[in-house]
Amino acid sequence: MYNKINKYKREIIMKRKISILGSTGSIGRQALEVIEKLQDKFEIIALSAGSNTDLLNEQIKKFKPKYACASDMNAISGAIPITLNDICSNKENDIILVAVSGKIGLRPTITAINNGIDIALANKETLVMAGDIVMPLAKEKGVKIIPVDSEHCAIHQCIKDIAQVDRLIITASGGPFLHKTVNDMRNATVEQALAHPRWNMGKKITVDSATLMNKGLEVIEAHHLFNMDYDRIKVVVHPQSVVHSAIEYIDGSVIAQLGIPSMHIPIQYAITYPERFEGIKSKSFSFSEVARLDFEEPNWDKFKALNLAYEAGRLGGSATVCLNASNEEAVFEFLDGKIKLFDIINVVEYMMSKHTVIKNPNIDEIFEIDNEIRLKTREKLQKTMV
Ligand code: NDP
Ligand code: MG
């Protein structure tokens, strides 16, 4: 034990070498805030962006990574341009934070695992699309996957021995429509769907939080991360977002993780694990300031996405690829103002009903199915567009 602690201490003193995929996004920017506070603990090897090269170049100037990646490689200034795959093949990295959004995160994550590099995983699509491939591969390669998603990070912090855990209890804030009527939801504008009461996140995940699809994706994520049957993963609505999730042990003891709703905390936990530092913490947690914690059952009729996600998860194989791809395409159309909020869930339900599940798809098959579902979803939505 003593040696183990010393090893980690040494690792931290020597500076942990990190790359961030998606450094210009909501998670990526907050990760850089954490690293700025802990600058004597980290060395940044690479940063990556999509189209926001202005911000990427500012980040390069400030954090001085050796390498960078962007959709337009020619627009990168101050770092050597390399691909996401090359970033993830670079064994200089101790850990890679995967904070890109969407399916783009999957292949680089697999590359990093194959290279024995630990992963701080924010990108939930990686596990929703290919959890059955990613988790066994990580185990085989001895690679740690530390969840950044606040609920899974909470569970990760609570679990001592997974064999003794009876249930995972995932909390959901309920999003902006928690206490609105079905009619309010039917007529919701993009602006209303993006007005999340607790969390400030990227647009896609914010819309998912409004339909509760995000919670559904998190149930699938939890199933893979903690190897837990769907029957033993429960969702409870908790509007204050102070209890980030909990586990119930077989003896009835419930352990929850609490904290102010800030993604800085799970991001910091994931990239410094198993060490902890004061870092970005601004003040102590106060139970009396929180004053009350409410919990309620999710409204399954209003938030059908949750049911669809459990269904897809239980079906397994390519069903979750279908769920994810159809949902993502529909969310983009909603954000473009082309469809209504409920059209998202209706089209996901339709695509699921038409999908023939492939049991153990490999990575290439996963991407083929993903592409096909996206195409069909867009075709179907053309007919619904307002
Ligand atoms: P954002 O949309 O804010 O950021 C996404 C990042 O990915 C940006 O850096 C973006 O680059 C980059 N990116 C997008 N598409 C591509 C592409 N095709 N190629 C390369 N880079 C790309 O998302 P979030 O930070 O909110 O979320 C990131 C991931 O983390 C998602 O999977 C989300 O589900 C998950 N997550 C997020 C949470 C949050 O609080 N935000 C909480 C839990 C999980 P650019 O902007 O330069 O185009
Ligand atoms: Mg979450």
Side-chain angles (χ1 to χ4, degrees):
M1 188 65 189
Y2 178 76
N3 274 345
K4 206 168 176 189
I5 290 171
N6 260 353
K7 174 175 167 265
Y8 288 125
K9 281 246 158 43
R10 220 169 33 240
E11 235 175 62
I12 295 290
I13 291 163
M14 281 172 66
K15 285 196 176 183
R16 192 171 278 203
K17 293 183 175 160
I18 188 168
S19 291
I20 302 176
L21 312 189
S23 62
T24 49
S26 160
I27 294 285
R29 280 179 273 122
Q30 292 178 86
L32 286 174
E33 284 161 14
V34 168
I35 289 172
E36 195 176 0
K37 280 270 177 184
L38 295 173
Q39 45 186 284
D40 55 329
K41 313 264 186 289
F42 287 98
E43 177 183 337
I44 299 183
I45 302 293
L47 296 176
S48 100
S51 53
N52 194 351
T53 29
D54 287 348
L55 178 57
L56 177 71
N57 286 338
E58 276 175 36
Q59 292 175 343
I60 292 172
K61 213 166 167 192
K62 186 162 176 185
F63 293 96
K64 303 185 173 48
K66 269 194 210 166
Y67 306 103
C69 172
S71 305
D72 178 4
M73 292 286 205
N74 292 325
I76 295 172
S77 111
I80 302 165
I82 59 172
T83 63
L84 286 184
N85 209 49
D86 287 343
I87 293 177
C88 293
S89 312
N90 184 343
K91 291 189 180 178
E92 267 183 286
N93 286 296
D94 295 312
I95 188 161
I96 293 183
L97 169 61
V98 182
V100 285
S101 54
K103 63 178 172 179
I104 191 84
L106 177 52
R107 283 195 203 269
T109 303
I110 290 179
T111 302
I113 296 173
N114 275 324
N115 282 285
I117 302 165
D118 289 338
I119 307 282
L121 188 64
N123 177 274
K124 50 189 85 183
E125 294 82 355
T126 293
L127 292 179
V128 172
M129 291 173 75
D132 287 333
I133 295 173
V134 170
M135 293 310 293
L137 184 66
K139 198 173 171 191
E140 183 197 321
K141 301 283 178 188
V143 160
K144 293 191 212 78
I145 308 257
I146 318 295
V148 170
D149 212 344
S150 59
E151 297 75 3
H152 309 79
C153 181
I155 291 169
H156 193 268
Q157 294 181 61
C158 294
I159 290 179
K160 258 198 201 155
D161 178 4
I162 189 75
Q164 296 181 331
V165 175
D166 185 31
R167 286 190 314 158
L168 307 181
I169 303 162
I170 298 182
T171 51
S173 71
F177 302 119
L178 177 61
H179 295 124
K180 299 276 193 254
T181 64
V182 169
N183 221 21
D184 290 334
M185 269 183 93
R186 189 169 288 125
N187 297 315
T189 61
V190 172
E191 205 180 17
Q192 285 165 336
L194 289 179
H196 197 280
R198 299 282 164 206
W199 300 99
N200 187 6
M201 310 175 282
K203 284 184 180 177
K204 193 271 174 178
I205 183 175
T206 306
V207 175
D208 285 346
S209 300
T211 59
L212 252 62
M213 180 59 89
N214 182 48
K215 215 41 60 179
L217 299 177
E218 289 181 356
V219 167
I220 299 167
E221 206 185 347
H223 161 81
H224 290 296
L225 276 168
F226 306 110
N227 197 14
M228 186 68 63
D229 284 350
Y230 286 97
D231 294 344
R232 291 163 62 201
I233 306 175
K234 191 178 161 43
V235 172
V236 65
V237 173
H238 166 49
Q240 290 90 357
S241 299
V242 166
V243 176
H244 298 306
S245 277
I247 60 173
E248 183 176 352
Y249 278 103
I250 45 177
D251 61 2
S253 204
V254 176
I255 316 268
Q257 187 260 337
L258 283 71
I260 50 160
S262 156
M263 282 310 294
H264 286 126
I265 298 171
I267 292 169
Q268 181 174 309
Y269 174 85
I271 63 176
T272 62
Y273 180 83
E275 283 284 329
R276 289 188 189 260
F277 300 98
E278 201 169 309
I280 203 100
K281 179 180 157 195
S282 53
K283 61 175 194 165
S284 294
F285 179 80
S286 160
F287 273 99
S288 51
E289 258 176 48
V290 171
R292 60 178 281 180
L293 299 171
D294 298 306
F295 301 92
E296 58 186 89
E297 281 296 310
N299 181 337
W300 295 87
D301 294 330
K302 198 163 91 178
F303 297 108
K304 284 189 183 155
L306 200 48
N307 236 337
L308 288 171
Y310 268 99
E311 257 175 50
R314 288 191 172 105
L315 282 168
S318 61
T320 55
V321 181
C322 173
L323 176 94
N324 180 63
S326 54
N327 176 64
E328 190 168 305
E329 283 305 310
V331 170
F332 291 150
E333 299 293 4
F334 172 73
L335 284 169
D336 267 358
K338 292 188 183 141
I339 60 169
K340 301 252 191 190
L341 190 69
F342 277 154
D343 293 333
I344 301 173
I345 305 310
N346 291 341
V347 81
V348 173
E349 191 170 18
Y350 175 82
M351 294 308 296
M352 292 276 303
S353 73
K354 296 285 172 204
H355 183 63
T356 309
V357 176
I358 294 176
K359 266 297 161 210
N360 291 304
N362 62 33
I363 290 293
D364 290 338
E365 286 167 333
I366 287 174
F367 278 102
E368 270 169 39
I369 298 164
D370 177 89
N371 281 337
E372 188 189 317
I373 297 288
R374 284 172 196 272
L375 202 73
K376 288 187 177 158
T377 304
R378 282 198 297 272
E379 275 168 22
K380 177 76 184 155
L381 285 175
Q382 284 293 334
K383 296 171 191 153
T384 342
M385 285 184 183
V386 285

